[in-house]
Amino acid sequence: MTEEITLESLAGVGPVTTRKLNDAGIHNIMDLVVRGPVEIAELTSMDIDTAGKLVEKAREGLVEGGLIQKDFVSANELYKKRQSIGKITTATEALDTLFAGGIETQALTEVYGEFGCGKTQFCHTMCVQVQKSKQEGGLEGGVLYIDSENTFRPERIVSIAQANGMDPEKVLDNIIVARAYNSSHQILILEEASTLIKEHNIQLVVADSAVGLFRSEYLGRGTLATRQQKLNKFVHLLVRLAETYNIAAIATNQVMSSPDQMFGDPTKPVGGNVVAHTSTYRVYLKKSGKKRIARMVDSPHHPEMDVIFALGEAGVIDPEDTTKKKKTTKKSEPKTKAPETPEVSAEPVDSEPKEEAPETPEVSAEPVDSEPKEEAPETPEVSAEPVDSEPKEEAPETPE
């Protein structure tokens, strides 16, 4: 349907307007819906009402083609549609439990935390997992990686792909890396992403990090309003791309320490309420020794919970995979040593008390029983005879 309705076929769009839209990265009617009437009016110098009608016609064409949702839909129909929504598995039981199956499409997943907590490693892992088949939990698509901190490493992709039994060259060919050097360039990359999404079957867009360049360029309170406006534009553009093109979006975020926090965790994400309200799912990562803790901070339907994961050759992994091997080796060693020590000490302890116990009661019991048996019958036999004979003889003499 998007191929049938071109920009030139819309009322009010001539060759000059089409050229302006193409220069701004708008090549089809789906891009019109993503960018919105306000930006279209600024780019083409047309009236805001005319731009609004233009975007509305493009939206109606997408609705008829079944590419976007209708204006009014029953909750039951929406529920059935969400049952078939795409998800990218994380290849870990812990994080899949946290995300209820994996990273969803048509949504923005924000991951924030301090340095070294595993944000970039999580993004590298998802770049490999999204290329797996749908039976294995992937989406069989490519990746657009917007790198604003120069932290993308193809060597890490190779190690993760080898750990998952995949061809590293094919995995690297399906990842398009765009290095952003300033905040305006970062927004421009996202505006030009629509053509790449169609040509390379992009199913995942990663922004690492989404706020870093905005934070470094706009310093002080005087530029705070301008920074938040541009940041709001970038984040909303990322969300509309995910919803319109039915792809997944991941954005990493930096943190700051709140000095007025007396109790609890002083770590807070950067970006304020602009990023917090725009993100569909918000996950907080923090270090705990060699392990990592992931907490679901904000979600429309996920419960707030904590899970534990680790980092390894395969990217993000379950901590049980590393601890099970250690437990099995520790259990096998004491089994050979334990039976040797109790066998030696148990023999002398059992033999000595068995010999002493029966000897002492047998000797003491014999003299005690023999002495009272002999004395008891002798005394009553002697005293009984004279008492009975004397009264028998005196009684008959007196009456005669």
Side-chain angles (χ1 to χ4, degrees):
M1 191 65 186
T2 56
E3 296 179 357
E4 296 177 1
I5 302 178
T6 59
L7 294 176
E8 292 83 358
S9 62
L10 297 175
V13 179
V16 178
T17 305
T18 304
R19 190 183 313 111
K20 291 181 180 180
L21 292 175
N22 291 334
D23 293 339
I26 301 173
H27 304 282
N28 49 53
I29 61 173
M30 191 172 290
D31 294 335
L32 286 175
V33 177
V34 172
R35 304 294 280 275
V38 176
E39 190 172 355
I40 297 299
E42 293 178 357
L43 294 174
T44 59
S45 301
M46 66 174 57
D47 186 49
I48 186 67
D49 296 333
T50 305
K53 294 178 181 179
L54 187 66
V55 173
E56 182 63 22
K57 291 180 180 179
R59 189 192 63 80
E60 291 176 357
L62 294 177
V63 170
E64 292 178 0
L67 298 177
I68 61 175
Q69 184 178 316
K70 300 178 183 179
D71 293 339
F72 302 99
V73 183
S74 64
N76 189 20
E77 184 179 352
L78 183 61
Y79 175 75
K80 292 179 180 179
K81 185 178 180 180
R82 281 193 56 82
Q83 298 304 310
S84 60
I85 197 170
K87 291 186 179 181
I88 309 171
T89 179
T90 61
T92 60
E93 295 181 2
L95 292 177
D96 281 348
T97 303
L98 184 69
F99 289 108
I103 304 297
E104 288 186 2
T105 57
Q106 303 181 16
L108 173 60
T109 303
E110 178 196 356
V111 180
Y112 72 93
E114 60 181 357
F115 66 95
C117 65
K119 301 187 299 294
T120 302
Q121 298 299 318
F122 175 75
C123 294
H124 281 66
T125 305
M126 299 311 299
C127 289
V128 178
Q129 296 296 330
V130 71
Q131 301 185 35
K132 290 184 177 181
S133 62
K134 294 183 180 181
Q135 291 77 13
E136 295 176 341
L139 295 178
E140 301 176 357
V143 183
L144 174 60
Y145 198 104
I146 303 175
D147 186 11
S148 63
E149 297 180 345
N150 194 22
T151 55
F152 179 81
R153 293 295 180 268
E155 299 87 354
R156 189 70 179 108
I157 297 294
V158 171
S159 63
I160 297 174
Q162 291 176 349
N164 286 272
M166 302 174 66
D167 188 3
E169 293 185 0
K170 291 183 179 180
V171 173
L172 290 174
D173 290 338
N174 292 327
I175 300 176
I176 299 176
V177 182
R179 179 73 171 92
Y181 295 96
N182 52 65
S183 59
S184 300
H185 187 206
Q186 183 174 335
I187 297 175
L188 181 62
I189 291 172
L190 205 59
E191 290 175 350
E192 297 288 342
S194 60
T195 55
L196 294 173
I197 291 174
K198 288 188 174 183
E199 292 177 1
H200 300 275
N201 189 24
I202 300 298
Q203 295 294 327
L204 174 64
V205 177
V206 178
D208 185 24
S209 100
V211 192
L213 294 176
F214 296 93
R215 187 182 186 186
S216 61
E217 293 177 9
Y218 299 94
L219 305 175
R221 292 183 178 272
T223 60
L224 181 61
T226 307
R227 186 195 79 173
Q228 292 299 98
Q229 289 176 1
K230 289 194 173 183
L231 181 60
N232 188 23
K233 178 182 178 181
F234 174 80
V235 179
H236 274 82
L237 183 59
L238 185 59
V239 172
R240 286 197 294 266
L241 274 175
E243 294 177 350
T244 308
Y245 288 94
N246 190 22
I247 61 177
I250 299 176
T252 64
N253 194 1
Q254 299 176 352
V255 295
M256 62 180 180
S257 182
S258 179
D260 58 346
Q261 186 78 22
M262 298 298 296
F263 303 99
D265 191 0
T267 304
K268 293 183 179 180
V270 180
N273 295 327
V274 168
V275 181
H277 289 306
T278 310
S279 300
T280 312
Y281 306 110
R282 203 171 209 194
V283 180
Y284 175 34
L285 304 182
K286 60 181 179 181
K287 295 183 287 187
S288 178
K290 294 184 179 180
K291 299 179 181 179
R292 302 293 187 270
I293 300 176
R295 175 183 299 172
M296 182 65 69
V297 179
D298 183 26
S299 172
H301 65 281
H302 292 95
E304 185 175 353
M305 60 181 299
D306 296 349
V307 296
I308 300 175
F309 68 98
L311 303 177
E313 288 294 328
V316 291
I317 59 176
D318 286 315
E320 290 80 5
D321 297 341
T322 56
T323 56
K324 283 180 181 179
K325 295 181 180 180
K326 296 180 181 180
K327 290 181 179 180
T328 53
T329 53
K330 289 181 179 180
K331 288 181 180 179
S332 59
E333 292 176 356
K335 283 182 180 179
T336 55
K337 296 179 180 179
E340 292 179 358
T341 52
E343 286 178 359
V344 178
S345 59
E347 291 178 356
V349 176
D350 296 337
S351 59
E352 291 178 3
K354 287 181 180 179
E355 294 177 358
E356 294 177 357
E359 289 178 357
T360 52
E362 288 177 359
V363 177
S364 60
E366 291 176 356
V368 175
D369 296 337
S370 59
E371 292 177 357
K373 287 180 181 179
E374 294 177 356
E375 293 177 356
E378 289 178 355
T379 51
E381 289 177 358
V382 177
S383 59
E385 292 177 355
V387 174
D388 297 335
S389 59
E390 291 178 357
K392 288 179 180 179
E393 293 177 354
E394 293 177 356
E397 289 181 356
T398 52
E400 289 179 354

